């Protein structure tokens, strides 16, 4: 086999860039692999000649590449391009790709393989593919379980259209990552330069009046309805539409602990907290609005409530076991459906509305009093209670249009309850396995511009993250974020489960709690010091607010800040 050089014409690398450009990708998030030289050459040529191309981000870990694409997509809701290296890079990034699937974020993820192993004329792909990088069935077989669609580009002539198809599939409900295997030989093959057709946003589906009218009548007849939502805020306009719908009918809104984004203002009088339990026997109508798994255990059926599911794709294909107990489905676009139902809020039973409004006002007042009491108790406690951290952040961020990205576990309820986010796209919970929070926060910042971005993260989750690579990306691309570590020096969720399963076991008697101790770790803020970032470690309540103020000032001035808060629980 002879290794021939490319002519001055274009090849598969330019086909990739052209297609991603047509797709409308603002960025190519790349964790470098040896197969991407054709793409790099295309970008270099386009930069030299002043031709359009997505902005290229050179990232040093697969989780950072996919996680940043996820964070960016959470805010923009548009597909971006992600380049990983062969099957190993895909496997390294697979947790983050799966997280994007769970979060409903569209993206086109690609990696490569060799199909000739040096036995064909033309470019020599290199012996590493034959020895180490190839995988039986191809990487698209690996990606299939954790992506929405997975396929291989078999020809340079169909490559641009395959990327277009992947982007269009990724963008449509349920949005999620699509994967395309692009063999190195295809990338190096001469391409005829046909431009890919730009794609347009998906059309919206609508529930018909014949479907919506009966549901409106069910709401009209209900004495004690409730809305339960996990991800209404992920839909474009969903947050605002849910507020209008709830206000029009005077229906309380529950965001269960499984909610993964801001769906409804937590300061709103109709916000009914996070516990669906009280409604299981009291509600006569439960409206599940983008709610994947409202009941746990799944067999826990409400005693008397009819259930209406409002969701464009209620039966999530990636959820292994899903029980909704639906009596009726409205499967059009969620925001459109909620707007239609809000317009039908007429001829209401005044007595019933007055009674449930009064009941909700009492619940809301009780919740506000409980939040205030918890914060007052935390302020008087010895050491730093997690409630104090979340409450202090809320006060300091007030009026700044901030975004909170959360990767805590045992403190996630505290963050949601006391940060009290109240605007669209102001809160996101990191999906999938731990270790993606930093990258997701950086991607959110990339999309959010001047809006402050705060990552709240546990010390256990912090150690799962590619910390060094995330700090490198923050500095390289000017993405200052505030990282607040809730550091209790333990894998608390593991410890809680051990105690729950074996309350009188050997560990309870001897104190030998394995798999949980993090006291041996060094001060976590110190990892940021070589990058010139603002770092603080806080262990006293009086020092907390000043430290966070200094950190926010540093972020506003363009420097990532890390505040390691030693909490008491």
């Amino acid at each position: 086999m002879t290794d021939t050089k490319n002519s001055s014409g274009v090849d598969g690398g330019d086909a990739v860039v052209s297609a991603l450009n047509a797709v409308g990708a603002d960025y190519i998030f790349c964790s470098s692999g040896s197969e991407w030289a054709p793409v790099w050459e295309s970008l270099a040529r386009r930069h030299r000649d002043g031709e359009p191309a997505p902005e290229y981000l050179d990232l040093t870990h697969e989780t950072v590449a996919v996680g940043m694409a996820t964070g960016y997509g959470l805010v923009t809701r548009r597909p971006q391009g992600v380049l990983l290296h062969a099957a190993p890079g895909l496997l390294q990034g697979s947790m983050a790709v799966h997280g994007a699937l769970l979060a409903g974020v569209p993206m086109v993820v690609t990696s490569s393989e060799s199909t000739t192993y040096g036995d064909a004329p033309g470019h020599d792909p290199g012996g590493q593919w034959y020895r180490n990088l190839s995988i039986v069935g191809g990487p698209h077989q690996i990606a299939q379980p954790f992506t929405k669609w997975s396929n291989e580009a078999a020809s340079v002539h169909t490559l641009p259209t395959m990327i277009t198809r992947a982007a269009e599939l990724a963008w449509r409900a349920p949005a999620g990552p699509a994967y395309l295997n692009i063999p190195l030989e295809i990338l190096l093959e001469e391409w005829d330069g046909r431009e890919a057709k730009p794609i347009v946003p998906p059309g919206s589906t609508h529930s018909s009046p014949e479907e919506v009218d009966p549901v409106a009548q069910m709401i009209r007849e209900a004495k004690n309805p409730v809305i339960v939502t996990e991800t209404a805020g992920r839909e474009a306009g969903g947050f605002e539409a849910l507020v209008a719908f709830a206000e029009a009918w005077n229906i309380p809104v529950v965001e269960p602990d499984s909610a993964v984004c801001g769906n409804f203002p937590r300061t709103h009088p109709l916000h009914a907290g996070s516990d669906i339990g009280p409604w299981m026997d009291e509600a006569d109508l439960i409206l599940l609005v983008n709610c994947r798994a409202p009941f746990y255990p799944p067999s826990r059926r409400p005693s008397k409530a009819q259930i209406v599911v409002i969701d464009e794709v209620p039966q999530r294909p990636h959820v292994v076991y899903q029980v909704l107990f639906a009596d009726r489905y409205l499967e059009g676009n969620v925001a459109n459906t909620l707007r239609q139902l809000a317009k039908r809020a007429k001829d209401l039973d005044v007595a019933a509305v007055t009674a449930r409004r009064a009941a909700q006002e009492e619940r809301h007042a009780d919740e506000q009093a409980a939040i205030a009491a918890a914060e007052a108790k935390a302020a008087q406690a010895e050491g730093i209670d997690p409630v104090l951290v979340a409450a202090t952040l809320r006060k300091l961020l007030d009026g700044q249009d901030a975004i909170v990205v959360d990767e805590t576990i045992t403190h996630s309820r505290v963050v949601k309850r006391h940060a009290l986010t109240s605007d669209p796209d102001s809160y996101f919970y990191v999906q999938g396995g731990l270790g993606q929070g930093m990258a997701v926060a950086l991607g959110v910042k990339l999309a959010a511009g001047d809006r402050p971005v705060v990552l709240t993260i546990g010390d256990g989750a912090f150690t799962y993250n590619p910390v060094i690579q995330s700090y490198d990306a923050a500095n390289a691309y000017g993405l200052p974020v505030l990282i607040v570590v809730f550091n209790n020096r333990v894998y608390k969720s593991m410890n809680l489960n051990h105690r729950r399963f074996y309350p009188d076991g050997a560990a309870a008697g001897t104190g030998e709690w394995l798999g949980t101790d993090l006291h041996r770790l060094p001060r976590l803020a110190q990892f940021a010091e070589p990058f010139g970032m603002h770092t603080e470690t806080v262990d006293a309540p009086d020092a907390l607010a000043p430290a966070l103020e200094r950190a926010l000032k540093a972020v506003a001035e363009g420097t990532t800040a890390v505040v390691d808060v030693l909490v008491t629980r």
Side-chain angles (χ1 to χ4, degrees):
M1 173 178 180
T2 58
D3 186 15
T4 59
K5 294 182 179 179
N6 268 355
S7 66
S8 59
V10 294
D11 57 20
D14 206 60
V16 171
V17 176
S18 176
L20 289 175
N21 202 54
V23 161
D26 302 313
Y27 291 93
I28 295 174
F29 298 87
C30 181
S31 176
S32 297
S34 56
E35 67 265 47
W36 297 121
V39 170
W40 298 332
E41 179 63 20
S42 172
L43 289 169
R45 182 183 62 77
R46 285 169 177 259
H47 296 159
R48 181 197 65 192
D49 298 342
E51 297 177 4
E55 187 169 343
Y56 175 85
L57 300 185
D58 205 353
L59 305 164
T60 53
H61 196 282
E62 292 85 355
T63 297
V64 177
V66 181
M68 286 185 65
T70 299
Y72 191 83
L74 285 170
V75 178
T76 66
R77 299 176 173 86
R78 292 185 288 103
Q80 305 299 311
V82 178
L83 310 185
L84 305 178
H85 175 45
L90 176 62
L91 288 168
Q92 182 72 46
S94 60
M95 181 183 69
V97 178
H98 181 245
L101 180 70
L102 297 180
V105 174
M107 64 179 68
V108 178
V109 180
T110 64
S111 71
S112 193
E113 64 177 338
S114 174
T115 55
T116 65
Y117 306 107
D119 273 344
H123 294 281
D124 181 1
Q128 72 273 18
W129 297 93
Y130 181 49
R131 292 189 296 267
N132 299 319
L133 295 180
S134 62
I135 192 160
V136 175
H140 47 292
Q141 296 283 6
I142 296 174
Q144 189 171 9
F146 53 84
T147 56
K148 184 179 174 184
W149 177 85
S150 180
N151 215 321
E152 176 185 9
S155 165
V156 72
H157 304 295
T158 59
L159 174 57
T161 308
M162 290 289 277
I163 291 175
T164 298
R165 174 165 165 74
E168 290 186 324
L169 281 165
W171 207 352
R172 276 152 179 80
Y179 172 79
L180 189 62
N181 169 24
I182 310 175
L184 178 55
E185 288 83 352
I186 301 297
L187 289 168
L188 291 167
E189 190 173 342
E190 186 175 342
W191 176 51
D192 59 18
R194 283 178 291 180
E195 291 292 329
K197 185 181 185 301
I199 66 171
V200 296
S204 62
T205 57
H206 294 256
S207 295
S208 69
E210 291 78 14
E211 295 169 315
V212 174
D213 285 340
V215 172
Q217 187 60 29
M218 292 171 71
I219 301 172
R220 194 172 289 113
E221 294 172 355
K223 303 297 182 185
N224 195 20
V226 65
I227 298 164
V228 184
T229 183
E230 292 176 333
T231 62
R234 281 291 301 117
E235 308 296 329
F239 187 101
E240 298 87 344
L242 182 57
V243 172
F245 169 59
E247 289 178 343
W249 291 91
N250 275 282
I251 304 176
V253 178
V254 172
E255 284 187 288
D257 291 331
S258 52
V260 297
C261 62
N263 303 292
F264 195 81
R266 287 191 166 259
T267 53
H268 197 289
L270 286 173
H271 196 287
S274 61
D275 185 8
I276 193 177
W279 303 92
M280 297 298 286
D281 294 323
E282 298 174 9
D284 55 359
L285 178 64
I286 297 177
L287 299 150
L288 301 180
V289 181
N290 266 26
C291 201
R292 305 158 297 172
F295 312 119
Y296 189 82
S299 58
R300 187 190 183 198
R301 186 183 187 118
S303 60
K304 61 183 179 182
Q306 287 188 292
I307 297 174
V308 174
V309 175
I310 301 173
D311 196 321
E312 192 166 10
V313 188
Q315 297 296 338
R316 299 289 202 279
H318 60 266
V319 176
V320 175
Y321 185 60
Q322 187 181 19
V323 182
L324 299 175
F325 296 121
D327 294 293
R328 189 177 289 269
Y329 287 103
L330 290 179
E331 298 187 41
N333 174 270
V334 168
N336 284 332
T337 301
L338 294 176
R339 293 187 195 108
Q340 287 190 61
L341 287 169
K343 291 176 182 177
R344 288 163 169 77
K346 303 172 182 177
D347 304 321
L348 307 185
D349 184 331
V350 176
V353 170
T354 301
R356 70 172 175 255
R357 183 189 297 136
Q360 173 55 26
E361 287 174 355
E362 183 177 351
R363 278 189 296 267
H364 185 72
D366 289 344
E367 173 64 4
Q368 295 305 303
I371 289 173
E375 292 180 1
K377 180 180 178 182
Q380 298 300 317
E382 292 187 14
I384 303 176
D385 190 281
V387 169
L388 181 64
V389 184
T392 304
L393 274 173
R394 182 190 73 240
K395 294 168 186 175
L396 292 175
L397 295 173
D398 184 41
Q400 294 196 41
D401 193 25
I403 302 173
V404 175
V405 177
D406 187 22
E407 197 180 26
T408 61
I409 298 295
T410 53
H411 299 125
S412 61
R413 294 179 184 178
V414 169
V415 172
K416 288 178 183 176
R417 191 183 192 203
H418 294 276
L420 288 174
T421 54
S422 58
D423 297 311
D425 293 337
S426 60
Y427 172 84
F428 299 106
Y429 189 78
V430 177
Q431 293 289 278
L434 292 176
Q436 307 170 62
M438 290 186 179
V440 172
L442 292 174
V444 167
K445 180 62 179 176
L446 186 66
D450 293 335
R451 293 179 68 183
V453 174
V454 179
L455 171 65
T456 53
I457 186 169
D459 53 327
F462 182 94
T463 61
Y464 284 133
N465 274 257
V467 175
I468 302 304
Q469 297 91 334
S470 297
Y471 289 161
D472 171 64
N475 274 1
Y477 298 107
L479 301 172
V481 298
L482 170 58
I483 300 171
V484 180
V485 184
F486 286 64
N487 190 345
N488 57 10
R489 282 80 74 201
V490 65
Y491 283 123
K492 192 65 176 285
S493 62
M494 286 76 148
N495 185 255
L496 290 174
N497 268 349
H498 193 157
R499 293 174 184 272
R500 181 162 63 96
F501 296 146
Y502 302 98
D504 302 315
T510 65
E512 185 183 12
W513 302 108
L514 300 176
T516 64
D517 185 20
L518 293 176
H519 280 86
R520 65 182 183 271
L521 294 178
R523 288 288 174 256
L524 301 183
Q526 293 177 350
F527 291 99
E529 291 177 359
F531 293 89
M533 295 174 173
H534 180 93
T535 64
E536 302 210 24
T537 299
V538 185
D539 61 2
D542 292 344
L544 177 63
L548 291 174
E549 284 184 284
R550 289 189 294 270
L552 283 168
K553 183 175 184 293
V555 171
E557 293 171 350
T559 301
T560 288
V562 184
V563 181
D564 184 14
V565 185
L566 307 185
V567 294
T568 55
R569 58 185 176 94

